[in-house]
Amino acid sequence: MNRYRDATVASETHDASALARYIESFAEASSKWALLAEKSAEYEKLCGAPSCCIVTASSALPHAAIHLTVPREGKRSLTVANIIPLSASRLSVAEYNAVLVSFARALRARSRLHGTRIKVVLSKADIRLADVVTGKVTWKLLQRYLALHPLSHHPLDIQRLDAFTCAISRYTRKSFDLDSFQVLLMEELGWSAEDASWCRSRVEVGLDVLAASRRFDRR
């Protein structure tokens, strides 16, 4: 499955505010990127946290603005919140990813040139079920469910799906990507849209109930 990629800029020596200023200075010094200082400042004020916004200035890339801000976790990183087209109504997945990859490569090159310890991490462009369903136990339970007539909706099949859902709830630290899971059931396994939607809904409701159970207080 081809998807919009994510990017995180992190450093052991720069906090989020210093990273934002570094990215702005990178854009100012580059012939292929530009800084609109007022717009960047406005975006930071809107976010209420260290943030910045830089713009493509190369004819090889779509005219677009990259917005970076602090993720929920950590104080020494910025994440790309969005890439907004400035001369078109939307960016295709390929165009969005091209802008992101170009930014990552250019920022890495500048940090190496100046000996600055900055790391840019990109997510995968193409993912499979094995990328969404992580962990040995969780993957094993999914395979058991898929191997035994999962589309029959027999009570035993539903129990196997529920066991998989319990494993996600117990062993998966990050939020489970339900959207990708649903799409990959169709793309990778050839499921119908109806079957994939049903499976996604069952897992989603199960995860919500398990989360509510952990928060439950009889008082």
Side-chain angles (χ1 to χ4, degrees):
M1 178 182 124
N2 193 247
R3 63 171 181 173
Y4 293 97
R5 301 180 74 174
D6 299 320
T8 299
V9 182
S11 175
E12 296 178 357
T13 57
H14 290 55
D15 61 16
S17 181
L19 282 173
R21 305 293 79 80
Y22 185 86
I23 292 170
E24 288 177 337
S25 68
F26 148 76
E28 284 185 307
S30 173
S31 61
K32 297 182 179 180
W33 299 89
L35 171 67
L36 304 179
E38 290 185 5
K39 293 293 184 182
S40 190
E42 286 176 9
Y43 178 63
E44 184 169 71
K45 184 177 180 180
L46 179 66
C47 292
S51 309
C52 63
C53 169
I54 64 172
V55 178
T56 58
S58 168
S59 59
L61 293 171
H63 190 38
I66 298 182
H67 293 75
L68 299 100
T69 192
V70 178
R72 292 181 180 179
E73 67 284 350
K75 296 182 179 180
R76 291 194 173 275
S77 64
L78 296 174
T79 188
V80 174
N82 205 354
I83 300 178
I84 298 175
L86 300 177
S87 301
S89 59
R90 64 181 295 273
L91 294 174
S92 67
V93 173
E95 289 172 329
Y96 185 102
N97 289 343
V99 172
L100 193 65
V101 170
S102 180
F103 163 72
R105 288 175 177 170
L107 188 63
R108 286 169 181 160
R110 186 175 192 264
S111 64
R112 286 196 300 268
L113 180 65
H114 294 102
T116 308
R117 297 176 65 183
I118 288 178
K119 179 171 63 174
V120 186
V121 179
L122 290 170
S123 64
K124 290 183 177 180
D126 296 294
I127 60 169
R128 299 180 62 81
L129 274 171
D131 297 309
V132 175
V133 181
T134 57
K136 292 182 179 180
V137 174
T138 312
W139 180 251
K140 179 181 177 180
L141 290 174
L142 175 63
Q143 293 305 304
R144 188 176 73 173
Y145 165 65
L146 295 175
L148 296 169
H149 312 291
L151 302 182
S152 70
H153 300 310
H154 186 278
L156 289 177
D157 294 313
I158 294 175
Q159 286 179 22
R160 285 186 279 269
L161 178 59
D162 289 347
F164 165 66
T165 302
C166 289
I168 296 172
S169 177
R170 180 173 297 181
Y171 299 116
T172 304
R173 294 182 179 180
K174 295 182 179 180
S175 177
F176 186 65
D177 190 347
L178 287 159
D179 291 336
S180 294
F181 178 66
Q182 180 178 346
V183 172
L184 287 166
L185 288 175
M186 295 184 287
E187 289 189 0
E188 199 168 317
L189 303 182
W191 285 23
S192 68
E194 182 180 2
D195 286 331
S197 177
W198 177 87
C199 184
R200 178 247 173 85
S201 295
R202 179 79 184 186
V203 172
E204 185 172 17
V205 171
L207 291 174
D208 287 344
V209 171
L210 289 168
S213 177
R214 288 195 297 271
R215 296 190 301 266
F216 179 69
D217 186 343
R218 284 187 289 180
R219 292 177 298 177

